[in-house]
């Protein structure tokens, strides 16, 4: 009996089935949204049989979670490069992480949607949670360094600062992404993020007025 997957396998012989499916899923997420396609469509886009994805994934949600996990790892790497161990200064490194957030959303829209707009339960997947924590830890370190000059009793919780900036960055992405109204504003997403971040940090006493 012939193998029904023999012919499709030629389409991903330079890589592997798992990665071919993730790449196809990212394209479909960009085109149709995280809920706009089926696992069978992802298989077809990857050039494999409808049964092939089940070798690695339980279903579409499992495949989207893997796309999100890989996205968080890429995101963490970009954030770490931007932070650069706090160089050349605590403030410039902190602001660089915000710019890295926006740059990632532009460069990897499929990953970004899988990570933040697909409804994946990060806490329910240990590997996904570790990848997300790695990215958040960069912002936490940046916030700790920024607050180090203040007396201990006046330092705001670093996790709170990191979460506020994360949420603010996400809001700016949403406002400016995919043809939304913010894209017609007379200022850039980076300018909006940095001006808002400066107001927030001054309010906490982390940078001088």
């Amino acid at each position: 009996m012939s193998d029904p997957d023999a012919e499709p396998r030629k389409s991903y012989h330079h890589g592997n089935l798992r990665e071919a499916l993730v790449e196809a899923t990212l394209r479909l997420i960009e085109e149709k949204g995280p809920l706009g396609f089926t696992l069978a469509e992802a298989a077809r886009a990857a050039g494999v049989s409808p049964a092939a994805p089940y070798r690695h994934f339980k279903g579409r949600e499992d495949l989207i979670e893997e796309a999100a996990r890989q996205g968080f790892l890429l995101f963490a790497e970009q954030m770490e490069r931007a932070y650069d161990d706090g160089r050349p200064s605590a403030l410039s490194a902190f602001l660089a992480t915000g710019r890295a957030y926006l740059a990632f959303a532009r460069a990897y829209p499929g990953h970004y949607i899988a990570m933040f707009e697909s409804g994946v339960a990060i806490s329910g997947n240990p590997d996904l949670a570790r990848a997300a924590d790695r990215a958040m830890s960069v912002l936490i370190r940046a916030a700790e360094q920024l607050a180090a000059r203040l007396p201990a009793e006046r330092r705001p919780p670093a996790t709170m600062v990191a979460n506020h900036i994360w949420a603010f960055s996400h809001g700016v992405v949403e406002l400016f992404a995919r043809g939304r109204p913010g894209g017609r504003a007379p200022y850039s997403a980076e300018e909006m993020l940095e001006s808002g971040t400066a107001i927030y940090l001054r309010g906490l006493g982390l940078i001088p007025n």
Side-chain angles (χ1 to χ4, degrees):
M1 179 180 291
S2 64
D3 182 352
D5 293 334
E7 187 63 28
R9 237 181 237 121
K10 294 179 183 178
S11 67
Y12 60 89
H13 70 280
H14 291 299
N16 61 61
L17 173 59
R18 187 180 182 89
E19 287 309 306
L21 287 165
V22 171
E23 290 171 10
T25 294
L26 290 168
R27 292 194 298 272
L28 287 167
I29 287 173
E30 290 184 41
E31 294 168 8
K32 300 184 176 185
L35 303 178
F37 65 95
T38 65
L39 190 62
E41 286 180 90
R44 186 163 58 249
V48 300
S49 72
Y54 292 100
R55 298 175 187 174
H56 297 284
F57 302 102
K58 297 175 184 176
R60 183 189 63 183
E61 290 74 18
D62 198 27
L63 185 49
I64 292 174
E65 284 187 10
E66 175 58 17
R69 185 192 72 82
Q70 293 185 16
F72 273 115
L73 291 177
L74 286 168
F75 182 45
E77 289 169 2
Q78 287 204 187
M79 295 284 278
E80 286 163 356
R81 283 196 297 271
Y83 176 54
D84 193 24
D85 288 328
R87 293 185 289 262
S89 70
L91 178 58
S92 63
F94 189 88
L95 294 176
T97 62
R99 291 192 295 272
Y101 192 111
L102 301 185
F104 176 83
R106 288 195 187 99
Y108 300 97
H111 285 100
Y112 187 88
I113 294 168
M115 292 156 61
F116 298 117
E117 300 177 13
S118 68
V120 296
I122 293 175
S123 61
N125 182 323
D127 291 337
L128 179 55
R130 278 192 292 272
D133 287 346
R134 178 181 163 189
M136 174 57 78
S137 72
V138 180
L139 266 178
I140 293 173
R141 292 200 308 274
E144 287 173 341
Q145 184 187 26
L146 196 58
R149 69 177 185 82
L150 295 178
E153 67 276 8
R154 290 181 50 204
R155 294 174 193 165
T159 52
M160 180 192 76
V161 174
N163 276 303
H164 280 167
I165 297 302
W166 188 300
F168 190 19
S169 301
H170 183 73
V172 171
V173 168
E174 291 303 297
L175 186 61
F176 280 79
R178 294 180 287 283
R180 291 176 182 163
R184 298 191 293 272
Y187 43 80
S188 68
E190 285 78 9
E191 289 169 333
M192 182 174 183
L193 177 60
E194 292 197 10
S195 62
T197 298
I199 292 168
Y200 173 73
L201 295 179
R202 286 192 185 96
L204 291 175
L206 292 174
I207 59 176
N209 291 317

